[in-house]
């Protein structure tokens, strides 16, 4: 939320199954255009047409769960979906995004960059993240196709 708000997003819709939780989180970002909404089809259908980026920060998708409350066809055709889940790399949400013609990004890059920043803080050295991400991506693909 902080990064999106400071990057100039005109509106950030924060959806949660429990609206009070979204409201509490939104209140932690005064001055940013954060709008808490319920995580339901009606509320999301109203905001998806003006949302060029959808970010899933929940664990949904780790075990093959989909997002029935999302009608990705309502997003702008240049929209993107970012799912922080990285195992599996291809979640039902990302599959649905690609089927809708949207950009789709998994969470592996974020995991690697967070690890690299931690490594830098502790050692003063920033590792080569591209190589690490490629190795992890190949390992996850192999691991998930051999099941």
């Amino acid at each position: 939320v902080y990064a999106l708000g400071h990057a100039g997003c005109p509106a950030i819709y924060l959806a949660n199954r429990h609206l009070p939780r979204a409201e509490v989180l939104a209140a932690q970002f005064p001055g940013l255009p954060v709008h808490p909404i319920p995580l339901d089809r009606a509320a999301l259908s109203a905001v998806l047409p003006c949302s060029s980026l959808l970010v899933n920060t929940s664990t949904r998708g780790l075990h093959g769960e989909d997002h029935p409350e999302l009608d990705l066809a309502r997003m702008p055709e240049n929209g993107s979906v970012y799912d922080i889940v990285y195992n599996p790399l291809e979640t039902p949400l990302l599959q649905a995004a690609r089927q809708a013609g949207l950009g789709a990004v998994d969470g592996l890059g974020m995991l690697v960059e967070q690890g690299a920043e931690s490594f830098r803080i502790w050692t003063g050295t920033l590792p080569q993240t591209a190589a690490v991400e490629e190795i992890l991506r190949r390992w996850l693909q192999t691991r998930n196709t051999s099941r």
Side-chain angles (χ1 to χ4, degrees):
V1 170
Y2 179 85
L4 292 172
H6 287 281
C9 287
I12 300 166
Y13 299 99
L14 185 60
N16 193 293
R17 289 174 299 175
H18 307 285
L19 185 56
R21 289 183 186 170
E23 293 167 339
V24 167
L25 183 56
Q28 295 179 30
F29 300 95
L32 295 183
V34 182
H35 309 282
I37 62 171
L39 182 65
D40 64 37
R41 193 168 187 86
L44 291 166
S45 290
V47 300
L48 282 175
C50 61
S51 300
S52 58
L53 175 65
L54 183 143
V55 181
N56 174 40
T57 61
S58 75
T59 58
R60 195 183 295 176
L62 282 173
H63 304 288
E65 310 90 337
D66 63 359
H67 296 259
E69 69 283 351
L70 290 172
D71 180 1
L72 296 181
R74 297 186 58 79
M75 286 185 72
E77 62 184 37
N78 65 340
S80 293
V81 174
Y82 179 54
D83 193 343
I84 67 162
V85 172
Y86 58 85
N87 187 19
L89 288 169
E90 187 71 11
T91 63
L93 178 59
L94 294 179
Q95 290 171 356
R98 287 188 181 92
Q99 288 172 352
L102 302 170
V105 180
D106 61 57
L108 187 59
M110 183 176 77
L111 172 74
V112 169
E113 293 300 327
Q114 287 176 333
E117 182 60 15
S118 295
F119 188 84
R120 186 199 61 77
I121 290 168
W122 283 96
T123 68
T125 302
L126 190 61
Q128 297 292 321
T129 58
V132 172
E133 184 175 343
E134 181 57 31
I135 290 167
L136 283 173
R137 189 167 298 281
R138 276 189 271 133
W139 180 76
L140 284 168
Q141 288 169 339
T142 302
R143 181 174 178 262
N144 289 329
T145 56
S146 64
R147 287 183 180 183

